[in-house]
Amino acid sequence: MAVILGLNYTFVSEFILIGFSTFPHLQLMFFLLFLLMYLFTLLGNLLIMATIWSEHSLHTPMYLFLCALSISEIFYTFAIIPRMLADLLSTLHSIAFLACASQMFFSFTFGFTHSFLLTVMGYDRYVAICHPLRYNVLMSPRGCACLVAWSWVGGSFMGTVVTTAIFNLTFCGPNEIHHFTCHVPPLLKLACGENVLEVAKGVVTVCITALLGCFLLILLSYAFIVATILKIPSAEGRHKAFSTCASHLTVVVVHYGFASVIYLKPKGPKSLEGDTLMGITYTVLTPFLSPIIFTSGTRS
């Protein structure tokens, strides 16, 4: 729906999410598959949280950070997947302007909170392995609470910056978003005005800088961790030290691997089907894999 403002411009009051409409014969299959994956994601994260809070022996920084990570993942998937599942069963795929802005805000907020918490967990592993005698001092309960709080503040800041920048643009007809969520690139294609290119460059720069900053800090942590582990004389000691990092490192590779595909993919011919399928990797697949990786790592 669009409200006419003048001769050449209209104000878009709602958007149409094209999403999976390009796969009309597969929508029911997608619905069942994504519903099962979403329920498993919720169940896995809730079980992680319940186990950590019920077992007093798990009230350590590493597991408390994991609990915070599960919370952010639940909120992140809740901001996107229920709406996506509803659209798969509906013939009306419209989303109100404010609802679209809210979805973008919460998805970016919890998505970047997830990245910041992974960075904090990398620092926790660095302190535990490289400075074990100072671990209780450096990772005190108050210090851990501050790290978690700053991760949430950082995620909220990123969500506010990106959403404000995008939705301060003027959107002209048509109002069809070629995605199943209110994603930045397809929304930018609907914007009009002289500052669209500057906003696009600014948003991409901010997102890439934040992601690369977190990734480089994690790499730095693991550079020191590997150097310390190699100094351990026994093979059993090296294996034990590395096993405490394996699940976190695996999730980092999955998380940043899929994020790099989104933000660093080369420019070229794009298809709606390709963008839709690519979007599944970071909205459905990554949250689905995370509880599996952490619980299997914990058991080992």
Side-chain angles (χ1 to χ4, degrees), residues 174-185:
N175 63 339
E176 295 182 345
I177 299 177
H178 289 256
H179 209 275
F180 55 85
T181 67
C182 290
H183 194 43
V184 170

Side-chain angles (χ1 to χ4, degrees), residues 23-191:
F23 305 97
H25 303 296
L26 299 175
Q27 290 194 45
L28 181 58
M29 186 193 73
F30 280 146
F31 173 81
L32 295 174
L33 176 62
F34 296 155
L35 176 61
L36 289 175
M37 294 177 72
Y38 179 53
L39 292 176
F40 183 89
T41 301
L42 288 179
L43 179 62
N45 283 299
L46 289 173
L47 284 176
I48 288 175
M49 293 165 56
T51 302
I52 291 173
W53 285 110
S54 62
E55 293 290 336
H56 186 74
S57 61
L58 299 181
H59 291 184
T60 61
M62 180 178 69
Y63 287 103
L64 292 179
F65 290 143
L66 178 56
C67 186
L69 195 73
S70 294
I71 294 173
S72 71
E73 200 157 73
I74 288 175
F75 283 129
Y76 173 75
T77 54
F78 184 74
I80 298 175
I81 298 181
R83 170 79 202 201
M84 181 183 71
L85 292 174
D87 284 342
L88 282 169
L89 294 182
S90 174
T91 56
L92 299 175
H93 302 153
S94 62
I95 182 171
F97 187 88
L98 289 178
C100 189
S102 298
Q103 186 185 65
M104 178 178 289
F105 169 75
F106 288 117
S107 62
F108 270 86
T109 293
F110 300 124
F112 275 98
T113 297
H114 196 86
S115 295
F116 296 144
L117 285 172
L118 286 176
T119 306
V120 168
M121 294 174 75
Y123 173 71
D124 171 74
R125 293 298 83 207
Y126 158 74
V127 175
I129 293 176
C130 300
H131 303 284
L133 298 180
R134 301 177 59 194
Y135 184 79
N136 291 332
V137 176
L138 294 175
M139 303 304 294
S140 64
R142 182 176 180 180
C144 293
C146 287
L147 290 173
V148 172
W150 277 113
S151 296
W152 283 88
V153 170
S156 300
F157 174 78
M158 292 296 298
T160 301
V161 168
V162 173
T163 306
T164 301
I166 296 299
F167 283 89
N168 271 336
L169 294 171
T170 301
F171 293 94
C172 310
N175 63 339
E176 295 182 345
I177 299 177
H178 289 256
H179 209 275
F180 55 85
T181 67
C182 290
H183 194 43
V184 170
L187 270 169
L188 287 171
K189 293 179 181 178
L190 305 181

